Amino acid sequence: MDVRRRPARHLDGPVSPGAKQHRGVVVVGGDDASSLKASDALPLPLYLTNAVFFTLFFSVVYYLLSRWREKIRTSTPLHLVTPAEMAAIVAFVASFIYLVGFFGVDFVQSLILRPAGDVWTADEEEEDEVVGAGADHEKILLREDSRSSPCGQALDCAPVVQKPKLVDPVVQDAPKEKVIEAVPSALPEEDEEIIKSVVEGKMPSYSLESKLGDCKRAAAIRREALQRMTGKSLSGLPLEGFDYDSILGQCCEMPVGYVQIPVGIAGPLLLDGREYSVPMATTEGCLIASTNRGCKAIFVSGGATSVLLRDGMTRAPIVRFATAKRAADLKFFLENPANFDSLSVVFNRSSRFARLQNIKCAIAGKNLFMRFSCSTGDAMGMNMVSKGVQNVLDFLQNDFPDMDVLGISGNYCSDKKPAAVNWIEGRGKSVVCEATIKGDVVRKVLKTSVEALVELNMLKNLTGSAMAGALGGFNAHASNIVAAVYIATGQDPAQNVESSHCITMMEAINDGKDLHVSVTMPSIEVGTVGGGTQLASQSACLNLLGVKGANKELAGANSRLLATIVAGSVLAGELSLMSALAAGQLVNSHMKYNRSSKDVAKVTA
Ligand code: ADP
């Protein structure tokens, strides 16, 4: 449809010649909308309207000039006009207004006026065309982003006023100097000087906290400097509502804000006779709902039981000798039970909670890897074990002066990397957790059958993972639950790598009526003190589980309990996802064997 031929009443408001029209018209009209003019109100095509007014204008000008010359020649007063001359004057004025409106106003406005807030700019026009043409999600978001952020809800309202243009790719590519000018600052004048110093490289960004003695102010200044240097807006990344003192020298350097992750609750998880509401921080839809369903199945079946098999954090330095023989000498020394007591005295000096458990060595030529394992109380223990290892290395230099220490970590530990040593020997807490799920619970809550679950587990989690060459990945999605609980409770999310090692076993018991399900997880690395556990949000989640901070009666009891809760939550997650998959498989089987859609509906109901 040609919008230019639409009658005036279809326009949403008064239209000045040359101005762009209301959005609604464009959405209906499509691509030609940008050429809308006042003349569009006429019931004629544009070129005919223009031709009529042009002809009229020049005709009346010619007529009036000739009448003027005639009056001068006959000495007739000019103000005496005939009806024909009056009509010619009216026609002249009308055609003049039309032509100036059509060709002139746009040009004049572009010279003397800047687009006002209510004038539709070219950028907006493009966006609305997209919305009208099919609502590309990204483009809609782009426009929403250009709105000013609302205050409150821990949103950053104060220091930075974001220019909507910053999300425009054209402006993002603009030279930095230009963008720096374009971003106004609402920070105090004294901070303005510091921001300039950081932007110009005169003051290191990392030194702001120590120089200012105010962590929040340092973060605000760093953030503003960063925006100016990059030309990218951080609007949406909150600054307010966070205790920046709490992370100084411990959790995060050079902060500019914090990321918000929603926390949901799965549970109650009935584990070892106690109920837990499990906090999970995630942005993956269905994850918590699914884990919650698993918790319900466990709960109505009488609960799950866990056993902690071992508890020891590891660190393995790499040392080198001139010969393999010398490396072997140290290996035999370290593994000799007669030397253990003296070594543990040296090691345990690192902390009142560190207790050396064993040292396992591996040789590669003349290089020796020594895997120290120790209990670390309620701390996850990486710092503690590292300090203990350093003590022992210093001590060993006396008897092995030819020992060349290459690194306190030689990757035989093995931290934050998939490694068989963790899968086989364990790292952190090794936990096995089991439950017996009654047959009718499998059917009513999990919507599948014991037989289907056992078969799927054997083929997927055991055979499929073996086919894939999995390392500790004999499960459906342990890492989903581990990561969500880790983030909520302030654990190190990178240790999700080995903490998610898990083998899920399912077996039909009681003559095939019920299901025995278990998860065995050898490397759950958790702590309830140190690291991110002391931050307010994470601490609140630990408190919800009743494992906040150090256990007063028995050092390590809180972190060990947390490890069992992680395993119990994984058990729930495995049960639910495997059931969903098994149910889907049943649906497919029904369809494959040509059952009616009615039967399929029954299965999925
Ligand atoms: P990690 O070794 O996990 O990195 P940190 O060394 O940062 O942890 O934190 C442990 C700190 O907490 C140590 O200084 C330790 O003395 C202290 N602490 C207090 N109570 C306990 C406890 N019950 N278990 C372990 N550490 C504790």
Side-chain angles (χ1 to χ4, degrees), residues 250 313 350-354 375-387 495 526-533 549-552 554-559:
Q250 184 158 9
M313 182 43 70
S350 66
S351 164
R352 64 199 154 111
F353 300 99
S375 58
T376 56
D378 287 310
M380 179 274 289
M382 283 302 298
N383 287 331
M384 216 178 269
V385 68
S386 297
K387 277 191 246 168
Q495 290 184 321
V526 290
T528 58
V529 298
T533 62
N551 189 295
K552 304 267 182 307
L554 182 61
N558 280 357
S559 65

mmCIF file of all heavy atoms in Angstrom, residues 250 313 350-354 375-387 495 526-533 549-552 554-559, ligand 1:
data_model
loop_
_atom_site.group_PDB
_atom_site.id
_atom_site.type_symbol
_atom_site.label_atom_id
_atom_site.label_comp_id
_atom_site.label_asym_id
_atom_site.label_seq_id
_atom_site.Cartn_x
_atom_site.Cartn_y
_atom_site.Cartn_z
ATOM 1 N N GLN A 250 40.807 -10.014 48.955
ATOM 2 C CA GLN A 250 40.385 -11.391 49.197
ATOM 3 C C GLN A 250 39.634 -12.024 48.028
ATOM 4 O O GLN A 250 39.913 -13.161 47.652
ATOM 5 C CB GLN A 250 39.488 -11.442 50.434
ATOM 6 C CG GLN A 250 39.095 -12.860 50.815
ATOM 7 C CD GLN A 250 38.693 -12.994 52.263
ATOM 8 O OE1 GLN A 250 38.547 -12.004 52.961
ATOM 9 N NE2 GLN A 250 38.524 -14.211 52.729
ATOM 10 N N MET A 313 42.314 -32.003 51.013
ATOM 11 C CA MET A 313 42.687 -31.150 49.872
ATOM 12 C C MET A 313 44.117 -31.486 49.461
ATOM 13 O O MET A 313 44.918 -31.910 50.302
ATOM 14 C CB MET A 313 42.544 -29.680 50.283
ATOM 15 C CG MET A 313 42.848 -28.678 49.191
ATOM 16 S SD MET A 313 42.151 -29.098 47.570
ATOM 17 C CE MET A 313 40.411 -28.869 47.853
ATOM 18 N N SER A 350 51.464 -24.845 59.230
ATOM 19 C CA SER A 350 50.822 -23.831 58.367
ATOM 20 C C SER A 350 49.525 -23.332 58.979
ATOM 21 O O SER A 350 49.149 -22.180 58.779
ATOM 22 C CB SER A 350 50.555 -24.408 56.976
ATOM 23 O OG SER A 350 49.593 -25.442 57.040
ATOM 24 N N SER A 351 48.806 -24.195 59.706
ATOM 25 C CA SER A 351 47.515 -23.788 60.278
ATOM 26 C C SER A 351 47.113 -24.760 61.370
ATOM 27 O O SER A 351 47.493 -25.937 61.335
ATOM 28 C CB SER A 351 46.439 -23.769 59.179
ATOM 29 O OG SER A 351 45.153 -23.742 59.752
ATOM 30 N N ARG A 352 46.334 -24.267 62.319
ATOM 31 C CA ARG A 352 45.871 -25.194 63.370
ATOM 32 C C ARG A 352 44.847 -26.164 62.800
ATOM 33 O O ARG A 352 44.435 -27.122 63.452
ATOM 34 C CB ARG A 352 45.300 -24.418 64.552
ATOM 35 C CG ARG A 352 44.072 -23.607 64.271
ATOM 36 C CD ARG A 352 43.848 -22.539 65.326
ATOM 37 N NE ARG A 352 43.088 -21.438 64.766
ATOM 38 C CZ ARG A 352 41.842 -21.162 65.130
ATOM 39 N NH1 ARG A 352 41.247 -21.886 66.048
ATOM 40 N NH2 ARG A 352 41.220 -20.147 64.587
ATOM 41 N N PHE A 353 44.378 -25.918 61.578
ATOM 42 C CA PHE A 353 43.383 -26.811 60.970
ATOM 43 C C PHE A 353 43.995 -27.775 59.951
ATOM 44 O O PHE A 353 43.360 -28.741 59.550
ATOM 45 C CB PHE A 353 42.282 -25.995 60.284
ATOM 46 C CG PHE A 353 41.553 -25.102 61.237
ATOM 47 C CD1 PHE A 353 41.862 -23.758 61.336
ATOM 48 C CD2 PHE A 353 40.579 -25.619 62.075
ATOM 49 C CE1 PHE A 353 41.200 -22.935 62.225
ATOM 50 C CE2 PHE A 353 39.914 -24.804 62.981
ATOM 51 C CZ PHE A 353 40.229 -23.449 63.067
ATOM 52 N N ALA A 354 45.204 -27.492 59.494
ATOM 53 C CA ALA A 354 45.823 -28.339 58.470
ATOM 54 C C ALA A 354 46.433 -29.583 59.116
ATOM 55 O O ALA A 354 47.240 -29.482 60.039
ATOM 56 C CB ALA A 354 46.898 -27.541 57.733
ATOM 57 N N SER A 375 43.749 -32.553 55.613
ATOM 58 C CA SER A 375 42.436 -32.039 56.006
ATOM 59 C C SER A 375 42.586 -30.551 56.302
ATOM 60 O O SER A 375 43.666 -30.107 56.729
ATOM 61 C CB SER A 375 41.888 -32.793 57.216
ATOM 62 O OG SER A 375 42.798 -32.673 58.289
ATOM 63 N N THR A 376 41.522 -29.793 56.072
ATOM 64 C CA THR A 376 41.642 -28.325 56.172
ATOM 65 C C THR A 376 40.503 -27.701 56.973
ATOM 66 O O THR A 376 40.153 -26.537 56.770
ATOM 67 C CB THR A 376 41.648 -27.706 54.756
ATOM 68 O OG1 THR A 376 40.466 -28.125 54.066
ATOM 69 C CG2 THR A 376 42.862 -28.130 53.955
ATOM 70 N N GLY A 377 39.926 -28.468 57.873
ATOM 71 C CA GLY A 377 38.834 -27.927 58.691
ATOM 72 C C GLY A 377 37.658 -27.543 57.823
ATOM 73 O O GLY A 377 37.282 -28.266 56.897
ATOM 74 N N ASP A 378 37.088 -26.372 58.084
ATOM 75 C CA ASP A 378 35.929 -25.925 57.310
ATOM 76 C C ASP A 378 36.320 -25.110 56.082
ATOM 77 O O ASP A 378 35.444 -24.641 55.345
ATOM 78 C CB ASP A 378 34.992 -25.093 58.201
ATOM 79 C CG ASP A 378 34.239 -25.969 59.180
ATOM 80 O OD1 ASP A 378 33.656 -26.968 58.729
ATOM 81 O OD2 ASP A 378 34.256 -25.677 60.390
ATOM 82 N N ALA A 379 37.636 -24.920 55.897
ATOM 83 C CA ALA A 379 38.063 -24.194 54.694
ATOM 84 C C ALA A 379 38.152 -25.164 53.522
ATOM 85 O O ALA A 379 38.431 -26.350 53.722
ATOM 86 C CB ALA A 379 39.415 -23.542 54.936
ATOM 87 N N MET A 380 37.921 -24.635 52.331
ATOM 88 C CA MET A 380 38.144 -25.469 51.140
ATOM 89 C C MET A 380 39.598 -25.915 51.135
ATOM 90 O O MET A 380 39.911 -27.036 50.749
ATOM 91 C CB MET A 380 37.761 -24.665 49.886
ATOM 92 C CG MET A 380 37.949 -25.373 48.569
ATOM 93 S SD MET A 380 39.608 -25.203 47.936
ATOM 94 C CE MET A 380 39.632 -23.498 47.477
ATOM 95 N N GLY A 381 40.503 -25.008 51.502
ATOM 96 C CA GLY A 381 41.829 -25.440 51.894
ATOM 97 C C GLY A 381 42.988 -25.227 50.948
ATOM 98 O O GLY A 381 44.109 -25.623 51.274
ATOM 99 N N MET A 382 42.748 -24.611 49.809
ATOM 100 C CA MET A 382 43.853 -24.448 48.857
ATOM 101 C C MET A 382 44.997 -23.621 49.444
ATOM 102 O O MET A 382 46.166 -23.966 49.294
ATOM 103 C CB MET A 382 43.352 -23.797 47.561
ATOM 104 C CG MET A 382 42.612 -24.729 46.633
ATOM 105 S SD MET A 382 43.588 -26.139 46.129
ATOM 106 C CE MET A 382 44.919 -25.350 45.281
ATOM 107 N N ASN A 383 44.656 -22.521 50.100
ATOM 108 C CA ASN A 383 45.712 -21.689 50.701
ATOM 109 C C ASN A 383 46.447 -22.450 51.787
ATOM 110 O O ASN A 383 47.673 -22.426 51.878
ATOM 111 C CB ASN A 383 45.122 -20.407 51.296
ATOM 112 C CG ASN A 383 44.704 -19.429 50.226
ATOM 113 O OD1 ASN A 383 45.274 -19.414 49.146
ATOM 114 N ND2 ASN A 383 43.694 -18.627 50.518
ATOM 115 N N MET A 384 45.656 -23.127 52.597
ATOM 116 C CA MET A 384 46.215 -23.859 53.736
ATOM 117 C C MET A 384 47.204 -24.936 53.284
ATOM 118 O O MET A 384 48.321 -25.037 53.800
ATOM 119 C CB MET A 384 45.052 -24.508 54.488
ATOM 120 C CG MET A 384 45.200 -24.548 55.964
ATOM 121 S SD MET A 384 43.731 -25.277 56.656
ATOM 122 C CE MET A 384 42.736 -23.852 56.941
ATOM 123 N N VAL A 385 46.790 -25.723 52.309
ATOM 124 C CA VAL A 385 47.647 -26.816 51.844
ATOM 125 C C VAL A 385 48.887 -26.265 51.140
ATOM 126 O O VAL A 385 49.989 -26.818 51.261
ATOM 127 C CB VAL A 385 46.850 -27.812 50.953
ATOM 128 C CG1 VAL A 385 46.436 -27.200 49.633
ATOM 129 C CG2 VAL A 385 47.662 -29.076 50.686
ATOM 130 N N SER A 386 48.734 -25.165 50.461
ATOM 131 C CA SER A 386 49.892 -24.573 49.767
ATOM 132 C C SER A 386 50.944 -24.113 50.775
ATOM 133 O O SER A 386 52.147 -24.297 50.567
ATOM 134 C CB SER A 386 49.446 -23.391 48.903
ATOM 135 O OG SER A 386 48.569 -23.840 47.898
ATOM 136 N N LYS A 387 50.458 -23.520 51.862
ATOM 137 C CA LYS A 387 51.401 -23.056 52.890
ATOM 138 C C LYS A 387 52.139 -24.236 53.508
ATOM 139 O O LYS A 387 53.356 -24.194 53.736
ATOM 140 C CB LYS A 387 50.641 -22.294 53.992
ATOM 141 C CG LYS A 387 50.377 -20.843 53.635
ATOM 142 C CD LYS A 387 49.865 -20.098 54.860
ATOM 143 C CE LYS A 387 48.434 -19.663 54.639
ATOM 144 N NZ LYS A 387 47.766 -19.186 55.847
ATOM 145 N N GLN A 495 36.157 -24.719 40.369
ATOM 146 C CA GLN A 495 36.376 -26.084 40.856
ATOM 147 C C GLN A 495 35.196 -26.990 40.537
ATOM 148 O O GLN A 495 35.209 -28.182 40.870
ATOM 149 C CB GLN A 495 36.660 -26.057 42.361
ATOM 150 C CG GLN A 495 38.029 -25.439 42.652
ATOM 151 C CD GLN A 495 38.415 -25.463 44.092
ATOM 152 O OE1 GLN A 495 37.571 -25.252 44.968
ATOM 153 N NE2 GLN A 495 39.689 -25.702 44.373
ATOM 154 N N VAL A 526 34.624 -28.007 48.740
ATOM 155 C CA VAL A 526 33.807 -26.948 49.338
ATOM 156 C C VAL A 526 34.379 -26.498 50.671
ATOM 157 O O VAL A 526 35.108 -27.237 51.340
ATOM 158 C CB VAL A 526 32.342 -27.406 49.559
ATOM 159 C CG1 VAL A 526 31.602 -27.557 48.249
ATOM 160 C CG2 VAL A 526 32.294 -28.694 50.366
ATOM 161 N N GLY A 527 34.015 -25.273 51.050
ATOM 162 C CA GLY A 527 34.391 -24.739 52.350
ATOM 163 C C GLY A 527 33.276 -23.840 52.864
ATOM 164 O O GLY A 527 32.429 -23.377 52.090
ATOM 165 N N THR A 528 33.277 -23.598 54.152
ATOM 166 C CA THR A 528 32.283 -22.683 54.729
ATOM 167 C C THR A 528 32.967 -21.485 55.379
ATOM 168 O O THR A 528 32.301 -20.629 55.954
ATOM 169 C CB THR A 528 31.383 -23.407 55.758
ATOM 170 O OG1 THR A 528 32.212 -23.959 56.784
ATOM 171 C CG2 THR A 528 30.595 -24.522 55.102
ATOM 172 N N VAL A 529 34.292 -21.447 55.326
ATOM 173 C CA VAL A 529 35.042 -20.247 55.721
ATOM 174 C C VAL A 529 36.018 -19.922 54.592
ATOM 175 O O VAL A 529 36.365 -20.776 53.793
ATOM 176 C CB VAL A 529 35.836 -20.429 57.043
ATOM 177 C CG1 VAL A 529 34.931 -20.724 58.212
ATOM 178 C CG2 VAL A 529 36.888 -21.531 56.904
ATOM 179 N N GLY A 530 36.433 -18.661 54.558
ATOM 180 C CA GLY A 530 37.407 -18.239 53.546
ATOM 181 C C GLY A 530 36.758 -17.996 52.190
ATOM 182 O O GLY A 530 35.585 -18.326 51.964
ATOM 183 N N GLY A 531 37.522 -17.366 51.317
ATOM 184 C CA GLY A 531 37.066 -17.113 49.946
ATOM 185 C C GLY A 531 35.774 -16.323 49.887
ATOM 186 O O GLY A 531 35.552 -15.382 50.652
ATOM 187 N N GLY A 532 34.888 -16.736 49.001
ATOM 188 C CA GLY A 532 33.629 -16.010 48.801
ATOM 189 C C GLY A 532 32.562 -16.350 49.818
ATOM 190 O O GLY A 532 31.480 -15.757 49.808
ATOM 191 N N THR A 533 32.863 -17.291 50.730
ATOM 192 C CA THR A 533 31.823 -17.712 51.680
ATOM 193 C C THR A 533 31.480 -16.630 52.696
ATOM 194 O O THR A 533 30.412 -16.651 53.287
ATOM 195 C CB THR A 533 32.260 -18.974 52.460
ATOM 196 O OG1 THR A 533 33.430 -18.648 53.221
ATOM 197 C CG2 THR A 533 32.581 -20.118 51.525
ATOM 198 N N GLY A 549 29.978 -20.504 58.210
ATOM 199 C CA GLY A 549 31.192 -20.287 58.984
ATOM 200 C C GLY A 549 31.813 -21.562 59.543
ATOM 201 O O GLY A 549 31.543 -22.673 59.076
ATOM 202 N N ALA A 550 32.646 -21.367 60.554
ATOM 203 C CA ALA A 550 33.367 -22.495 61.156
ATOM 204 C C ALA A 550 32.465 -23.211 62.154
ATOM 205 O O ALA A 550 31.727 -22.581 62.894
ATOM 206 C CB ALA A 550 34.608 -21.978 61.863
ATOM 207 N N ASN A 551 32.539 -24.535 62.135
ATOM 208 C CA ASN A 551 31.774 -25.292 63.118
ATOM 209 C C ASN A 551 32.494 -25.212 64.465
ATOM 210 O O ASN A 551 33.675 -25.550 64.576
ATOM 211 C CB ASN A 551 31.643 -26.747 62.665
ATOM 212 C CG ASN A 551 30.670 -27.533 63.540
ATOM 213 O OD1 ASN A 551 30.916 -27.738 64.724
ATOM 214 N ND2 ASN A 551 29.561 -27.931 62.943
ATOM 215 N N LYS A 552 31.761 -24.759 65.471
ATOM 216 C CA LYS A 552 32.384 -24.484 66.775
ATOM 217 C C LYS A 552 32.790 -25.763 67.500
ATOM 218 O O LYS A 552 33.785 -25.801 68.222
ATOM 219 C CB LYS A 552 31.407 -23.697 67.669
ATOM 220 C CG LYS A 552 30.914 -22.394 67.049
ATOM 221 C CD LYS A 552 31.775 -21.224 67.476
ATOM 222 C CE LYS A 552 31.296 -19.896 66.923
ATOM 223 N NZ LYS A 552 31.088 -19.825 65.478
ATOM 224 N N LEU A 554 33.176 -29.064 66.078
ATOM 225 C CA LEU A 554 34.052 -29.993 65.371
ATOM 226 C C LEU A 554 34.526 -29.340 64.080
ATOM 227 O O LEU A 554 33.736 -29.176 63.125
ATOM 228 C CB LEU A 554 33.284 -31.300 65.066
ATOM 229 C CG LEU A 554 34.050 -32.400 64.369
ATOM 230 C CD1 LEU A 554 35.238 -32.853 65.207
ATOM 231 C CD2 LEU A 554 33.142 -33.583 64.052
ATOM 232 N N ALA A 555 35.805 -28.949 64.057
ATOM 233 C CA ALA A 555 36.338 -28.275 62.867
ATOM 234 C C ALA A 555 36.158 -29.160 61.637
ATOM 235 O O ALA A 555 36.516 -30.333 61.645
ATOM 236 C CB ALA A 555 37.806 -27.944 63.071
ATOM 237 N N GLY A 556 35.576 -28.579 60.612
ATOM 238 C CA GLY A 556 35.385 -29.328 59.365
ATOM 239 C C GLY A 556 33.989 -29.900 59.207
ATOM 240 O O GLY A 556 33.615 -30.344 58.109
ATOM 241 N N ALA A 557 33.207 -29.898 60.297
ATOM 242 C CA ALA A 557 31.878 -30.526 60.232
ATOM 243 C C ALA A 557 30.960 -29.770 59.261
ATOM 244 O O ALA A 557 30.163 -30.385 58.545
ATOM 245 C CB ALA A 557 31.255 -30.581 61.625
ATOM 246 N N ASN A 558 31.072 -28.438 59.252
ATOM 247 C CA ASN A 558 30.206 -27.663 58.353
ATOM 248 C C ASN A 558 30.529 -27.914 56.881
ATOM 249 O O ASN A 558 29.630 -28.093 56.055
ATOM 250 C CB ASN A 558 30.333 -26.166 58.653
ATOM 251 C CG ASN A 558 29.495 -25.761 59.852
ATOM 252 O OD1 ASN A 558 28.783 -26.591 60.421
ATOM 253 N ND2 ASN A 558 29.586 -24.504 60.259
ATOM 254 N N SER A 559 31.810 -27.901 56.559
ATOM 255 C CA SER A 559 32.163 -28.090 55.142
ATOM 256 C C SER A 559 31.851 -29.520 54.702
ATOM 257 O O SER A 559 31.449 -29.758 53.563
ATOM 258 C CB SER A 559 33.632 -27.751 54.895
ATOM 259 O OG SER A 559 34.463 -28.639 55.582
HETATM 260 P P1 ADP B 1 41.378 -21.649 51.816
HETATM 261 O O1 ADP B 1 42.523 -22.413 52.357
HETATM 262 O O2 ADP B 1 40.169 -22.433 51.568
HETATM 263 O O3 ADP B 1 41.753 -20.787 50.648
HETATM 264 P P2 ADP B 1 41.638 -19.530 53.647
HETATM 265 O O4 ADP B 1 43.035 -19.907 53.989
HETATM 266 O O5 ADP B 1 41.425 -18.304 52.867
HETATM 267 O O6 ADP B 1 40.881 -20.711 52.943
HETATM 268 O O7 ADP B 1 40.719 -19.430 54.940
HETATM 269 C C1 ADP B 1 40.866 -20.228 55.991
HETATM 270 C C2 ADP B 1 41.134 -19.330 57.173
HETATM 271 O O8 ADP B 1 40.077 -19.498 58.095
HETATM 272 C C3 ADP B 1 42.408 -19.709 57.865
HETATM 273 O O9 ADP B 1 43.094 -18.552 58.240
HETATM 274 C C4 ADP B 1 41.941 -20.458 59.088
HETATM 275 O O10 ADP B 1 42.806 -20.290 60.162
HETATM 276 C C5 ADP B 1 40.601 -19.798 59.367
HETATM 277 N N1 ADP B 1 39.650 -20.671 60.070
HETATM 278 C C6 ADP B 1 38.891 -20.338 61.104
HETATM 279 N N2 ADP B 1 38.110 -21.359 61.490
HETATM 280 C C7 ADP B 1 38.368 -22.365 60.651
HETATM 281 C C8 ADP B 1 37.871 -23.686 60.516
HETATM 282 N N3 ADP B 1 36.926 -24.187 61.320
HETATM 283 N N4 ADP B 1 38.353 -24.434 59.525
HETATM 284 C C9 ADP B 1 39.278 -23.964 58.692
HETATM 285 N N5 ADP B 1 39.785 -22.733 58.757
HETATM 286 C C10 ADP B 1 39.338 -21.929 59.744
#
